[in-house]
Amino acid sequence: MNFGGVIEEVMTREEFPLDKAREILKDETIAVIGYGVQGPGQACNLRDNGFNVIVGQRQGKTFEKAVNDGWVPGETLFSIEEAAEKGTIVMCLLSDAAVMSVWPTLKQYLTPGKALYFSHGFAITWNDRTGCVPSDDIDVIMVAPKGSGTSLRTMFLEGRGLNSSYAVYQDATGRALERTLALGIGIGSGYLFETTFQREATSDLTGERGSLMGAIQGLLLAQYEVLRENGHTPSEAFNETVEELTQSLMPLFAQKGMDWMYANCSTTAQRGALDWMGPFHDAIKPVVEKLYNSVKTGHEAQISIDANSKPDYRVGLEKELAALHESEMWRTAEVVRQLRPENN
């Protein structure tokens, strides 16, 4: 497929239908380990698509969530150890920190011929730091949905699909690729595009710290602060910075593209956007380059590993998140959301 002049191989649901995926995995037991961010969406979609799925999760609130989603203790819901032992495909959907802590237990159940599946390349890409080094007699594969597990599930229920990347790190059985593609279709991917564990991990960490979360919060806050410092009210500053972007413009350029948006706005907005996109690009690109280098060298991975290893990390994290939650911009957001017509 031609992406702006660059040819990429992609796999669509028309080329790799669900029936083919079911046939490939008909004798497999898919064990979803972890029921946090990605686990519910992937497990429920696979189950609804007719695959043999079980879940492995420790006791607690998340275990109860799995029960509420219809997983039956002793039948389709087990401890992590039991599920990993029963599974021929072990889908490791734990957080990066949890993968490191569970790996010494998990690896003993990864017997020859099994497949170890991830939805993020972190643990394998930086396994000199995480300690997650699989034996050479199992398949090591990945399907990484380009969005949250909640979005994956919601779009599946709406009859749509969330795009995913896929990769084969290790093919011990000769079936690693077909297993990977079948799982990608099974979890409800819209289409699948090829990557590597290293590329996925690097682009993912860059995206999270950049345009998906870190950069967007920094940009929004900077504009909001400048407007407030120059006498604009919280409501006006928030509407001009966030509300119009998320409620009006994002749905349009998600559907039609930013090029379309530029061609279909007022001449005043058009002129200003064309003039200022260059200075913003020139100011931001060095920051993105610095970020990418920090990710590629493993520095960001080490920061994450070190932070999650601290016994008081959760306490400090909650303070940081609370400060973000209590900021004027996001308190204003709560009021603005209440005033939306659908809430009145």
Side-chain angles (χ1 to χ4, degrees), residues 37-49:
V37 177
Q38 282 290 337
Q42 296 199 34
C44 289
N45 289 1
L46 283 164
R47 179 182 63 186
D48 290 355
N49 270 335

Side-chain angles (χ1 to χ4, degrees), residues 261-305:
M261 184 68 67
Y262 270 56
N264 288 275
C265 62
S266 72
T267 55
T268 302
Q270 196 174 65
R271 182 70 267 145
L274 287 166
D275 289 346
W276 277 93
M277 69 179 184
F280 272 108
H281 168 272
D282 294 347
I284 293 167
K285 188 170 181 181
V287 179
V288 178
E289 289 174 333
K290 181 179 179 181
L291 163 60
Y292 186 83
N293 186 61
S294 185
V295 172
K296 188 174 181 179
T297 59
H299 182 63
E300 292 298 313
Q302 194 62 53
I303 289 173
S304 180
I305 291 168

